[in-house]
Amino acid sequence: MANDNKQTKQNNNREAGGLTAAERYKIPPQDMPEQAPEQRARNFEEVATGFTEEQARKEALRCLGCKNAPCVKGCPVRIRIKDFIAEIAQGNYKKSLEIIKENSLLPAVCGRVCPQENQCQEQCTVGIKFKDIAKSVSIGRLERFVADLDVDDKDTPKVGAPTDRKVAIIGSGPGGIVAAADTRRAGHDVTIFEAFHKPGGVMVYGIPEFRLPKSIVQKEIDTLTRMGVKIVPNFVVGKTSTIEQLLKEDGFDAVYIGVGAGLPKFMNIEGESFVGVYSANEYLTRANLMRAYKFGAGADTPIARSKKAAVIGGGNVAMDAARMAVRLGAEKVYLIYRRTEKEMPARVEEVHHAKQEGVEFHLLQNPKRIIGDENCRVKAIECLRYKLGEPDASGRQRPVAIAGSEFQIEVDCVIVAVGNIPNPLIQQTSPELKFNEEGCIIVDEKGRTSMEAVYAGGDIVTGAATVIQAMGQGRTAAQSINEYLQQKTKIRS
Amino acid sequence: MAHKIISKSQLSEDVFTADVEAGHIVRAAKAGQFVIISVNNEFGERIPLTIAGVNPQNGTIKIIWQRVGKTTAHLADLKGGDSIAAIVGPLGRPTHIENFGAVVCVGGGIGAAPLLPIAKALKEAGNKITVILGARSKSILILEDEFRKISDEIIITTDDGSYGRKGFVSEALAEVCRRTPKPNQAFVIGPAIMMKVCCEVTKEFAVPTQVSLNTIMVDGTGMCGGCRIEYDGKPKFVCVDGPEFDGHKVNFDLMMKRLAAYKEMEKTSYEQYKKHVCKIYRRRTGDG
């Protein structure tokens, strides 16, 4: 009997490439093909071009298919990782994508922008064996590979019979898209309200084309439209209409709030309102959503074409802004961060790409003031040097300024990327809704807020976080909305 | 969701007005608020314009704009029946209206447009209204009749003396402030330099003064911070904290520099547009 089992196991292994763990360890990690740094620094096209089929199947064979699947515990939406990878190894791409889509609606997006090295890939047995995260199975790249094949292009998710219930989704970012799809699948009449003129939220205004092509986001939006989800752009909830009005006057039975953390933080230092100082939000929105990189060649929105730019911050947004400045023609781009590279919240890959593209890292430095010329245009930034002290609340060593260490860097543009906080527009007009001190909406584990029929998820709940987390919370809230509306219907009938 | 222009007319050489379908905005719009407009969803820019009036029956809002660059020129070239690609709003905080007693309302140039709904609301709240309207010249003075209907007193100034008094609104304002009793409150809307000078005047007489600012914006919802000003030494966002502020605390000099941030690029864009329109015109008329 035991022998039989062993036999079956070996057969399974053979089908999946017939390799033992030792043989799998020997397969070298596959490198992601990408545009050469000097070439891509001059265009706006995607940097990483994606695995070839041969590479993907090789990479998939590196997966040990661990019984306890530690990678899944690292995934915020619990994708059945080893199963979808096993299907890639066997060339069953359609099946592979189906497995991913059980848990994640946006694999082409998440495969690109998820911080896998802090999630699934951090837990990967292969990486742990080699004591090197870079040698973990490239789960994200495999996810992207299979998502990009478009194998399910024409499949529109099935929609349930009409329920006569209306759901309003506020915000068309990752959480909103998932919440819309899941509530629509249950047969509800779903409308997404978006403040901008184009849907997609941070995926279209924030994350640049070279990291996440807009066509990928549009494809997901098109799917929603095909499912019958209505999208209303140029509609600011909290201004055009309040949550209460949506429920009481506009006939909605439930509302999901997924408006993100949209308010940029500034440093509150001298000179921060000089001409040439941008929040990363403004800089990236002008460049991405408003297409300012095409100014003079069709687009109407201008943006500073700086020669020497300083970007303040160490997160992904700071990397995006720095790399955008390179592409907009800056000869020098300085990334100024008050801690060391080790503490940077940005993904390793983004840091690596930024350096390759010529961004100069100024670590353990932080601006003290911005200096302008007689026209209040930025001409320099004065920084202080820092050293690392005791650990702070985040567990990272606190940066401590070194007195008297001031020095100046000549720049004509400063981009502030030190984080975002929630937008108070909804808070100002929804007194019934409970918020915490940081301005985030308080929800329970099911995504329910303090207001009946109102649910929330994503950055407006957690503060600035990730696409995948927002997606997961959108899904949880959608499930709660579906349950709530079912209950309500029962009571009525 | 394009917005149809129901009617459009020209108020002066470079100033236009239109009633535009915007049913979703009508319900919430209040005096002092603004909209963001774009004429092209793919490549257009987003510009803030004040809501100059609301017609709940027709579901339309009134906008008034001055032709100064590419987008405002494009708007001016649209006709009744044409559509505007995007209108977002109402944005900003509404004007705080109460019965102050005697109020002086100062409108310079295109500033008369946002001033009108505020003056109307102030009148309805029982205030005694003195209106000071200024323009460079008689031919570009706008909304005089509308203001006459709601004001207890009206003073008109023109820079060149072609109508009303020769001089600036700030001089007329100083005169009104010198009266006994002095006004309880001032509202001043117009070009930045005019608001700056008027605020210097009212500060001298200790007359509280609200100004309405029209800075460069992208989203208009607090997301970009491009509209920020220095207010009482601290940054404030015009789109969500304003557009109205205590004029005595605004750093107008810095605001004017920020308004000029893209001057050269705006000029280029406008020139390109003019050339483009000429080409179309020549093609249509078969001329050249």
Side-chain angles (χ1 to χ4, degrees), chain A residues 197-198 239-241 249-250 262-264 272-274 277-279 281-282 285 290-291 295-296 300 303 377 423, chain B residues 24 27 41-46 70 86 89-90 92 221-224 226 228 257-258 260-262 265 272:
Chain A
H197 51 283
K198 271 190 186 168
K239 283 290 171 192
T240 312
S241 182
E249 296 174 27
D250 300 338
L263 223 62
E272 215 171 0
S273 290
F274 282 159
V277 184
Y278 291 90
S279 71
N281 271 4
E282 181 182 2
T285 301
M290 307 308 294
R291 307 198 197 191
F295 180 83
D300 296 340
I303 193 166
R377 287 182 183 262
N423 194 317
Chain B
H24 64 304
R27 176 170 69 179
N41 274 332
E42 284 307 314
F43 295 105
E45 62 182 336
R46 295 166 61 102
K70 201 244 145 163
T221 62
M223 202 211 82
C224 82
R228 70 194 181 281
K257 304 289 188 194
R258 283 187 70 83
Y262 301 103
M265 295 173 99
Q272 276 181 355

Side-chain angles (χ1 to χ4, degrees), chain A residues 336 365-368 381-385 405-407 409:
Chain A
I336 300 173
Q365 298 176 10
N366 206 35
K368 190 183 170 194
I381 185 162
E382 186 173 286
C383 296
L384 273 168
R385 293 188 195 280
S405 64
E406 288 89 346
F407 66 98
I409 310 172

Side-chain angles (χ1 to χ4, degrees), chain A residues 459-484:
Chain A
D459 288 1
I460 187 67
V461 167
T462 56
T466 58
V467 165
I468 186 81
Q469 200 173 319
M471 241 182 59
Q473 291 174 359
R475 171 145 283 182
T476 305
Q479 205 179 336
S480 304
I481 291 172
N482 290 341
E483 283 164 16
Y484 167 75

Side-chain angles (χ1 to χ4, degrees), chain A residues 195-198 205 232-236 239-242 245-246 249-250 262-264 266 268 271-279 281-282 285-286 289-291 294-305 374-377 420 423-425 428, chain B residues 1 3 24-25 27-28 33 38-46 70-71 85-94 216-219 221-230 235 237 239-240 253-254 257-263 265-266 268-269 272:
Chain A
F196 268 124
H197 51 283
K198 271 190 186 168
Y205 74 71
V232 178
N234 303 313
F235 197 103
V236 185
K239 283 290 171 192
T240 312
S241 182
T242 64
Q245 281 175 321
L246 288 176
E249 296 174 27
D250 300 338
L263 223 62
F266 282 94
N268 293 318
E272 215 171 0
S273 290
F274 282 159
V275 178
V277 184
Y278 291 90
S279 71
N281 271 4
E282 181 182 2
T285 301
R286 283 179 180 271
L289 180 76
M290 307 308 294
R291 307 198 197 191
K294 281 195 173 163
F295 180 83
D300 296 340
T301 302
I303 193 166
R305 289 298 180 121
E374 66 284 2
N375 285 317
C376 297
R377 287 182 183 262
N420 286 305
N423 194 317
L425 283 184
Q428 285 164 1
Chain B
M1 216 174 48
H3 303 270
H24 64 304
I25 289 170
R27 176 170 69 179
Q33 291 189 295
S38 171
V39 291
N40 179 326
N41 274 332
E42 284 307 314
F43 295 105
E45 62 182 336
R46 295 166 61 102
K70 201 244 145 163
T71 301
I87 304 183
V88 196
L91 301 171
R93 293 170 183 263
I216 296 172
M217 292 184 188
V218 182
D219 62 296
T221 62
M223 202 211 82
C224 82
C227 63
R228 70 194 181 281
I229 54 158
E230 204 176 277
F237 289 7
C239 65
V240 287
D253 291 329
L254 181 57
K257 304 289 188 194
R258 283 187 70 83
L259 277 168
Y262 301 103
K263 219 172 173 179
M265 295 173 99
E266 284 162 354
T268 310
S269 188
Q272 276 181 355

Side-chain angles (χ1 to χ4, degrees), chain A residues 218-271:
Chain A
Q218 191 54 47
K219 200 183 132 203
E220 303 302 338
I221 301 288
D222 290 344
T223 305
L224 287 181
T225 313
R226 281 206 310 278
M227 288 170 74
V229 172
K230 281 165 265 183
I231 298 172
V232 178
N234 303 313
F235 197 103
V236 185
V237 175
K239 283 290 171 192
T240 312
S241 182
T242 64
I243 305 259
E244 200 171 34
Q245 281 175 321
L246 288 176
L247 289 166
K248 293 193 174 149
E249 296 174 27
D250 300 338
F252 286 96
D253 299 288
V255 174
Y256 173 78
I257 307 172
V259 294
L263 223 62
K265 273 198 234 173
F266 282 94
M267 299 176 288
N268 293 318
I269 59 171
E270 190 188 320

Side-chain angles (χ1 to χ4, degrees), chain A residues 204-478:
Chain A
V204 298
Y205 74 71
I207 305 175
E209 177 81 16
F210 57 79
R211 202 150 73 80
L212 177 64
K214 303 291 158 274
S215 57
I216 288 170
V217 182
Q218 191 54 47
K219 200 183 132 203
E220 303 302 338
I221 301 288
D222 290 344
T223 305
L224 287 181
T225 313
R226 281 206 310 278
M227 288 170 74
V229 172
K230 281 165 265 183
I231 298 172
V232 178
N234 303 313
F235 197 103
V236 185
V237 175
K239 283 290 171 192
T240 312
S241 182
T242 64
I243 305 259
E244 200 171 34
Q245 281 175 321
L246 288 176
L247 289 166
K248 293 193 174 149
E249 296 174 27
D250 300 338
F252 286 96
D253 299 288
V255 174
Y256 173 78
I257 307 172
V259 294
L263 223 62
K265 273 198 234 173
F266 282 94
M267 299 176 288
N268 293 318
I269 59 171
E270 190 188 320
E272 215 171 0
S273 290
F274 282 159
V275 178
V277 184
Y278 291 90
S279 71
N281 271 4
E282 181 182 2
Y283 193 75
L284 290 171
T285 301
R286 283 179 180 271
N288 295 328
L289 180 76
M290 307 308 294
R291 307 198 197 191
Y293 64 91
K294 281 195 173 163
F295 180 83
D300 296 340
T301 302
I303 193 166
R305 289 298 180 121
S306 73
K307 291 249 179 324
K308 291 176 182 173
V311 178
I312 321 299
N316 287 323
V317 175
M319 299 303 147
D320 285 344
R323 297 171 67 195
M324 185 59 87
V326 170
R327 283 161 176 76
L328 287 170
E331 289 152 18
K332 288 270 180 199
V333 178
Y334 310 106
L335 187 116
I336 300 173
Y337 181 56
R338 60 193 184 135
R339 305 183 204 239
T340 70
E341 201 175 314
K342 205 175 87 200
E343 288 83 17
M344 276 191 177
R347 294 186 58 199
V348 177
E349 186 177 301
E350 307 311 328
V351 171
H352 172 68
H353 280 154
K355 282 184 180 169
Q356 277 187 327
E357 289 163 15
V359 175
E360 271 180 38
F361 281 46
H362 283 231
L363 303 170
L364 290 169
Q365 298 176 10
N366 206 35
K368 190 183 170 194
R369 66 182 175 119
I370 296 164
I371 301 158
D373 65 10
E374 66 284 2
N375 285 317
C376 297
R377 287 182 183 262
V378 175
K379 66 171 191 183
I381 185 162
E382 186 173 286
C383 296
L384 273 168
R385 293 188 195 280
Y386 278 63
K387 60 182 178 200
L388 290 183
E390 296 297 306
D392 64 8
S394 72
R396 300 180 297 180
Q397 283 182 284
R398 191 189 303 274
V400 185
I402 301 169
S405 64
E406 288 89 346
F407 66 98
Q408 294 186 1
I409 310 172
E410 201 183 295
V411 291
D412 55 8
C413 178
V414 175
I415 304 162
V416 184
V418 296
N420 286 305
I421 49 174
N423 194 317
L425 283 184
I426 288 182
Q427 186 169 13
Q428 285 164 1
T429 51
S430 298
E432 276 184 62
L433 214 51
K434 283 210 177 90
F435 289 79
N436 70 14
E437 279 164 20
E438 278 84 45
C440 298
I441 298 179
I442 298 170
V443 299
D444 66 10
E445 73 289 350
K446 292 185 137 190
R448 287 183 294 214
T449 69
S450 55
M451 209 171 154
E452 200 201 326
V454 180
Y455 300 76
D459 288 1
I460 187 67
V461 167
T462 56
T466 58
V467 165
I468 186 81
Q469 200 173 319
M471 241 182 59
Q473 291 174 359
R475 171 145 283 182
T476 305

